[in-house]
Every structure is written in C-alpha cells, then in structure tokens.
Amino acid sequence: MALERAQRRGARWQRRCLWGLLSLPLWPLMALAAHVAWLDAPLEPLLPQASLRLLDRSGKEIASVRDARGELVEPVRLDQLSPWLVPALLAAEDARFFAHPGIDPLALLRATFQAVRHGRVVSGASTITQQLARTLFVRPRTLAGKWQELALALRLELELSKSAILEAYLSRVSFGPRIVGVAAASRHYFDKPAQALSLAESAALVAVARGPTRYDPERSRERLRQRRDYVLGRMLVLGSAEREAVERAQQAPIALHAGYVLPGAFHFVRAVARGKLGQAGTARGVLESTLDGDLQREVEAIVRRFGSGFAAHRASAAAVVVVANEVAEVRAYVGSPDYAAREALGQNDGALALRQPGSTLKPFVYALGMRELGLHVASVLPDLERRFTSVDGSYLPHNHDRRFHGPVRLGPALAASLNVPAVSVAERLGSERVVDFLRSVGFEHLDASGRDYGPAIALGVAEVQLVELAAAYSSLGRGGEYLPLRFLETDPTPEPRRVLSPALTQQISALLSDPRERAATFGREGPLELDFPVAAKTGTSKGNRDNWAVGFTPEVTVAVWVGNFDGSPMLRSSGATGAGPLFHAVMLAAVRALQPEPGKAARVAPPAAESRVVCSLSGELAGPDCPHHLPQQFWTRSVPVEPCSWHRRSCADSGCPSLEVLPERYTAWAHVSGRHLPAPPAAVGDDKARPQVVFPQPSARFVLDDNLNSEQQQLVLSAHAAAGSRLVFEMDGTEVCEVAIPFKCPWRLRRGRHELVVRAGRRNASSVRFTVE
C-alpha cells in the first residue's frame, strides 16, 4: 500500500505545471547528452551475477562465497522484498522518484540554493536513477563526468520501467564492505531474506546505503540508529508508514545476527566454488549441497578434539569424509582440523590431497583375485621372504610384525593385512589388470600404467585422494555397485555400475568385519571394533607418512586420513593407532545420524552362505588327520573340494601323531620356524631335489649408487630346495658360497651382465641371468 501511495503521489507531481516550467531549460542539454551516451556507452547487465550461496541439505546456509572481486553479490526482484523496503528507500533517497524523468530539477535548485547560502554542500540532489547510473560506469569527478551521469540517468528512464530501475538499484548498490545488493546485506547483517525484514530493519538498511562506511552497522551502531530514525520520520511525513508503526520501529534496537555458517566447511565450500567437487564449476547463485549440517558440525568437533592429541605421534593434520551409501552423497567433509592453522598448513585439503593409501587397496586386490583367479576365502597364499621386481628395481616386502608366516589362508591374510600374499596375488593378476579394476571403482588419479606401479600396487604405492577411497569403499557398502560421489543436489544421479557381484562383496565384507580374523595383527577391543558390525581396513604408507582407516556399514562409509601436509613422517603411529580412534568416533556419529528408516531393509540383501569345514593350515577340506578344523562361510561359488593333503599319520595306528607334509616352497620357512617335518622325499643327489632360484628374478635389473661405498652394496641371493640339502651358489662360473637351509648367500654387486647358478649335487642345478648397471 505504501508503494502504491508513492506512485499515485508521483503522478500528481507530474501533472503540475511548475514541473514542466522548471525542467524546460534543461531538456535540450540533457537530450544531447543522452544521445551521446546512447551511441558510445554500452550498458553493463543491470542485474549483476550473483555470488555463490551454498546451503546444507536442509536448506540452511553453509557459507556465502565472495566473487573474484571479493564481493558478496545477490540480485533481487521487487516481489522478493519486504513491503517496507521500497517506501523506506524512497523516503531516504528520492521521494519524487515516480514523478521525475531520472533527474529532479527541484532537488537541483534546492541543493544549489543551500550551497550558495551556506557556502558549502548541504544536501545532495542525486536521484535513485542517477545513483544507479554511477554503478554502471566509472565517472570522472568533473563537470563532464556529471553530465555523463545525468545523460545516462535519462537514458535509463527512457529504456526501463521504474520497477526495473528499483530492482537494479537494490541489486547493485553497496550496503557495506564488499556487500552488494540489499538481499546480500539482509543475510549478512540480519541472517534473513530481504522479504522478511521488519520496518526498523528496512529503514536501517537503506540508511547504510547512504554511506556504508559512515553508517557501518558493526562499527557505528549509534550513528546508524540516528539515521534510521530520520528515515522512519520521513516515512511518517510522506504517509508511507503509520505513526504507531514508526514509533515501535524507533524503539527497536539494531540487533545484528550471525548467520548459520559452518566454520569447518571452508575446504568443502572452496572446492565447490572452484569446481573441484560436484558439477557446479563456476556456477553462482544458490546451490544446495548434500552435507548434513548437524553431522558436519559434530564431525568437525571430533576432528578438533582428536587433533589436539596428534602431537604424540608427530602428526598435525587429518581429514574425514562421510558418505550415505544408498545415494553416494557426502554428508560430512573435513579437510583439516583447523583451516587457519599456519604452521600445520591447515588450508591444505586432506580430502583432495594425493597420498599413498597403504594397505587400504588390498580388499580390492583380493576381490579381483577371487573373481579372476578363482581364489576363495580359504585359498592358501605364500607369506615368505621374497623379492619382487619393478621398473625401479627390486623390493622385499615385510609385514607389520617383521615376520613371515608361511602358508596363510586368504581370509587371515586380508584381515591381518599381510603384505607378501597381497603382492603375490597382484603379480598373478598382472598389475595392468589390477590398476584397471581400481580405476573402475573410482581411483581416477591412477594415471600411470600398471607396469609403472608393478605388483606393489597392492601395498598402495600409488597416490589417491581420500574422496576416491570413500567412493570405492562405498561401492562395497552397496553390494558391489559403483556410484560417483555426489556433493550437490544438482549433481547427476547416474545408474549404478556393477563392479563386483553381491556374493563376492559379501565375502569381503565378512572378512573385514570379523574381529577374530584381525586379532593376530591388531589384537582385540581395538578402534575398529564397535557395538555393531563394521567392515573396516587400515593402512600405513611407506615411511609412516600417512595413516588411513576406512570402513562401512550398509548405510554409511567413513574414510579417515591422518598425517602431515609437509610429508614429514609420524612417530609410533599406524592406521590402527593414528587414524583408527578418529575413525571409531566418526563412525559412531555417522551411524547415529544416518540410521535407516524403521522397517527399511538393507539396499542389497546378502546372498546365502555355504558352510564348509576346512583345515586351518591348508585351507582344503578337513580330513581325519587334520589336527585343527575350522568352520568357514563361503559366499562365492569357489569353494574347496579336495581333502587336505598337508597332513598324514606317521603310521596306520589312529593314535599316531599327525605329520605336516608342506609343499616344497615352505620347507625353508618351516625349518626356520622350528616346525616338525617328515624326512625329505628325495636324496640330495636325486633329480627330484632340483633347487629353485628365488632371488634374483630372471632378467632383473639393479643399479649401483655411486654415492655409496661399493662394499656396502650387495644382494642376498636365495633359493628353495628340499630340507637337508646343501646348495652351492656360483656367479659367472665362480663359486660364491655353499650353504644349508635357509639357502641364502650374500654377494657384492658389480656392474655387468651376470649368470647365477645354484647347484644341489653335481646334476641338479638351476640358473638365472640379470644385470647390474
């Protein structure tokens, strides 16, 4: 109603003859200036491009992102404004706005008369249209610049409606330090949309527009109150507000309200604004994210709380990603404990940093081995001292406990995170096939060839992001269906792509959620054990630079990284002791926040399992001679079908002890481990006792380091043979040593092509050729 009254009053002003008489002498000059402006000054878009406002999934604001000029910008339409706002603006800035053609001659005459009388400028004469014109071009502070402003104001009045001019003005004028538009100001100062402003708040905001520095609400509260009350008084005089409403507004304090902003979501907001998360790219305006505001705040608090204790491990950084599995939506995202921490490089984003994931890739290597090689949960894998070759030379994997365990079943090998079995499976698969599979579950930053990584890809020698790790494990939580993570509600929702069968995924999940299988390495009652089933895996990168813990339930996936952004190693820390406790706390919070709806079944019903009783040593079907039986659940089609061949009675009497008959590759390990074995099946000189060279591998390549003493650079040659054998190692026709079990022989490196021959007696020998550069 107040706006309609102002429009009617303007119409009456236009009908007055005095207006025409006063404005007549100015029209020729103004028309000429308008013509020049029309030809030479193309207009900017009247409504500016909005800066980004990011909301959580419930619609609450996470943050407003300043544009490239550091401004918060929010254009607005008249129907998005409080009914008090335009009348307050007209009362404060331009009471005859609806009457004049862009320039107010009455105001010009009044300002001129006052300036002559007082010898200084007492009041301005700029209309709202002129003030809008100033925002569209850089006006020189000269008489010519003033004429350009007047001309552009006339042009705006010719081209635009009064409503369009008001919308442009309220969207472009500054309302504070780098705050553009009344809508942005309303959210910044009062934490509400402009449509919800009260009469007092509307008058205060238009008062700020008169002088954003002079009437700064945060620094000049009393001065702003006086200007607000003046505006309210003008509204009363002009009839745009009733006396009772004005008096109530003048009694109201100027109360600023801090907005709902997630202080720890800085990394998420920055990554979205830069197009690194989701499909936003350079999008502006309002975007609704997938973050759960309450969970985000809780996870931020957990990370800060645990971050204070990282110093004991010489760690200073951590990152967490929480995913709702059903739709692959990220519900919480923390890039570091403290964005403002300079010494800890807190502005780095640990969720997007490329780091070595350690053993967290092993479940995918074993899953691929089950799918492609026919392995099953009881398949026996070798955990023996062995060197593997890569493009960078050779390496000798060790386990966390610095021991080798001989024959181990796949289940305990994964749960206890043994290294050699995983590398052996990757070698059998071929590193190219392993890398291709890892890419299919979301590890997009594996940009080198499988040959470059080699079988050590199973140990996490590549670099990946925490968000990629979360996406991969989330696919296990969905029963083997991969979906890219969603960060914004506007992100596309593609159809899930099956990468593993539900049965195979269930088998991996069962292994990762069984605390008894982990006990050999991690003990019981550790951080990976919770009051509900959680499939979890830890990882520690080479040099102890990265700790990881990642796990899932059918509803949620939690991925955690702990380390230092400068790459420095940690002290007395592993995935279980460093990232594990933080994982435990976040998983509890995530499960509380993302509980399934009552009565809602899991998204993928697990397939039925098949039970077998296997020998705990051989993994084959347990027989009467096996001393230790183990009930085992199989979800995959591959199951053991042969009876155990590793145990036999020493005599026909059932009371005789059972003897282990291990495959030949385990005899050296068994001897060192003190296991009782039957007599060797063949004499030393027999053809069946032919030895096998274990290291070096055929065609291996080694490089001498010129910075080291040559005497310090040596290889430990090794071989397998029957127990009781003595082996002779010959290099290029010259005997190096003669040894018994465990058949190891040191040899000092020298450049050239070499042939190693290992003999057991005169007739039985094997050889390999290799190069030292």
Side-chain angles (χ1 to χ4, degrees), residues 143-165:
L143 183 59
K146 186 64 177 179
W147 278 111
Q148 285 180 293
E149 175 192 308
L150 296 174
L152 186 53
L154 289 174
R155 176 181 169 187
L156 291 173
E157 291 280 350
L158 289 172
E159 293 186 17
L160 304 175
S161 67
K162 290 289 186 178
S163 295
I165 291 173

Side-chain angles (χ1 to χ4, degrees), residues 361-377 379 381 410 414 421-441 443 446 450 454-455 457-458 476 498-501 503-505 507-508 511 636 638:
L361 298 187
K362 288 176 181 174
F364 302 98
V365 174
Y366 284 120
L368 185 62
M370 292 180 178
R371 192 182 77 181
E372 302 294 331
L373 303 177
L375 299 176
H376 52 71
V377 66
S379 294
L381 303 170
L410 185 151
L414 172 56
V423 178
S424 299
V425 172
E427 184 183 52
R428 290 174 60 185
L429 287 165
S431 51
E432 288 285 1
R433 185 156 50 170
V434 174
V435 171
D436 287 344
F437 177 66
L438 291 173
R439 289 178 183 137
S440 75
V441 294
F443 293 104
L446 297 180
I457 186 66
L476 299 178
R498 180 155 297 284
V499 291
L500 291 171
S501 69
L504 207 160
T505 306
Q507 186 76 80
I508 294 294
L511 291 175
T636 59
S638 297

Side-chain angles (χ1 to χ4, degrees), residues 305-446:
R305 185 172 75 247
F306 277 85
S308 62
F310 289 157
H313 298 296
R314 291 184 185 172
S316 60
V320 175
V321 175
V322 179
V323 180
N325 289 337
E326 184 173 6
V327 286
E329 291 184 347
V330 173
R331 293 287 193 255
Y333 182 109
V334 177
S336 75
D338 184 0
Y339 186 86
R342 292 189 177 183
E343 291 186 6
L345 305 177
Q347 291 196 13
N348 287 284
D349 188 345
L352 295 180
L354 288 170
R355 315 289 295 212
Q356 291 189 349
S359 296
T360 58
L361 298 187
K362 288 176 181 174
F364 302 98
V365 174
Y366 284 120
L368 185 62
M370 292 180 178
R371 192 182 77 181
E372 302 294 331
L373 303 177
L375 299 176
H376 52 71
V377 66
S379 294
V380 169
L381 303 170
D383 184 25
L384 301 170
E385 184 177 2
R386 179 187 168 190
R387 286 187 176 272
F388 295 85
T389 58
S390 69
V391 293
D392 297 324
S394 67
Y395 55 97
L396 178 65
H398 287 279
N399 294 315
H400 178 73
D401 60 5
R402 311 302 294 180
R403 296 172 50 230
F404 295 99
H405 303 82
V408 291
R409 288 173 287 110
L410 185 151
L414 172 56
S417 199
L418 301 179
N419 287 333
V420 177
V423 178
S424 299
V425 172
E427 184 183 52
R428 290 174 60 185
L429 287 165
S431 51
E432 288 285 1
R433 185 156 50 170
V434 174
V435 171
D436 287 344
F437 177 66
L438 291 173
R439 289 178 183 137
S440 75
V441 294
F443 293 104
E444 298 177 355
H445 283 85
L446 297 180

Side-chain angles (χ1 to χ4, degrees), residues 10 15 41 55 118 125 183 198 217 231 281 299 308 341 358 373 387 417 494 590 707 721 735 750 755 761:
R15 288 193 294 268
L55 313 180
H118 296 280
S198 67
V231 173
V299 173
S308 62
L373 303 177
R387 286 187 176 272
S417 199
N707 296 319
E735 181 176 327
R750 62 175 184 268
E755 181 180 23

Side-chain angles (χ1 to χ4, degrees), residues 158-176:
L158 289 172
E159 293 186 17
L160 304 175
S161 67
K162 290 289 186 178
S163 295
I165 291 173
L166 285 173
E167 286 182 346
Y169 174 90
L170 290 168
S171 298
R172 296 186 65 92
V173 170
S174 174
F175 283 82

